[in-house]
Amino acid sequence: MFKFAGIEEDFRAIMEIKHHSKWFNVQSVPQCYTFSPEERPGKAPIPICKKIPVIDLGKSLVSSSEKMETIKQLLQAGQQFGFFQVINHGIPENVVTQTMSTFKEFFNMADEQKINVPASKGWIYTGSEDEVKNGVHLWRDNIKHPCHPLEKCMQSWPEKPASYREVVGTYAAEIRKLSLTILELICLGLGIESGYFDEISQVQLLSANNYPACPDPSLTLGILKHLDPSLITIIYQGNVSGLQVLVDGQWICVGALPNAFVVNIGNQLEIISNGKLRSAEHRAVTNSREARTSIAIFINPAPNCIVEPAKVLLNEYNPPLYKSILYRDFINASKAFGIHTDAIQNEA
Ligand SMILES: O=C(O)CCC(=O)C(=O)O
Ligand SMILES: [Fe+2]
């Protein structure tokens, strides 16, 4: 009995260290996670905004007049908020729930299984300890990797959890179909020739986030205010809200609706629409009650695509408001993917 008492104690001590070694297991927000008063969310409550349109995509299949109505709603939402939600989108609920469970399982794995060498692996895991913006750590862990074409990238995805490749592959394929449907409806609404986006939307990048519960959400952020460098981004946030959008200088919160996807206009679609659709600044905040998982899929142009206002939208009264730019140059100049910008472009 005496012989093992010490060992047991050591074991307990090791378990304690392991338990506390999770960066978010703290009683208060450490200084290195505290954003400046200008950047932090603060204590003022930001209620869920009921005005962000929830668009029933199923209706667009019913008749051509319903389709025209859906297109009108998409364009209005893209102009006014740069954000909308879609329901009745045709993606089976079990595909979405399995994908969320797989990511939760992934983020719960021990760090040794997640840390990797991005250049050789084809996926990038960034734990909060390694992610610093404006000198402050983000309150999130993140994984990024390309997800189209599947046959090219899937074999380089994480091997654990065992279901990762199959489940996330199915999800990515469903999101691809949905994003092409939305882009085609927007295309029709803008009066651009059908199929314009098929060619220009060949890169698809997945970015999943884990935002643990936080002892003081007023001080820190999951993601700082930013614009997406995509055509569109499709986000699933489950039933925990935390996404906020800046509309007319005010932060508003996007409600978490069951089985709905949040869609936002990225700055490449703003350019192509010559400013008719807007890309709105947004951020992710934390909460003190529960962890939040979100899955964002960016639909992007290929690095060698020239992005410019669509020619049919331009005339003497509507001059181009944006210069033509090679997507690679845009990404390199904006450093939209931070230190991983090169790795992500090479892998795409
Ligand atoms: O977690 C979210 O809801 C926001 C994700 C996001 O804005 C991004 O990944 O660019
Ligand atoms: Fe974003």
Side-chain angles (χ1 to χ4, degrees), residues 180-216:
L180 292 182
T181 302
I182 293 171
L183 282 170
E184 181 64 12
L185 291 170
I186 289 178
C187 193
L188 292 172
L190 289 171
I192 302 176
E193 63 273 19
S194 170
Y196 184 97
F197 291 106
D198 294 356
E199 204 36 48
I200 208 169
S201 61
Q202 287 305 318
V203 174
Q204 192 173 312
L205 184 70
L206 180 144
S207 173
N209 305 294
N210 168 48
Y211 310 99
C214 171
D216 187 348

Side-chain angles (χ1 to χ4, degrees), residues 83 140 142 144 207-209 211 222-224 226-229 233 235-237 240-244 262 264 282-285 292-298:
F83 271 76
R140 73 155 183 184
N142 173 268
K144 281 191 186 64
S207 173
N209 305 294
Y211 310 99
I223 307 185
L224 269 172
H226 69 284
L227 292 167
D228 286 357
T233 307
I235 302 166
Y236 189 71
Q237 56 172 344
V240 186
S241 60
L243 174 61
Q244 297 182 343
V262 179
N264 66 292
H282 54 285
R283 68 183 183 187
V285 298
R292 173 170 181 264
T293 305
S294 70
I295 312 164
I297 289 195
F298 301 96

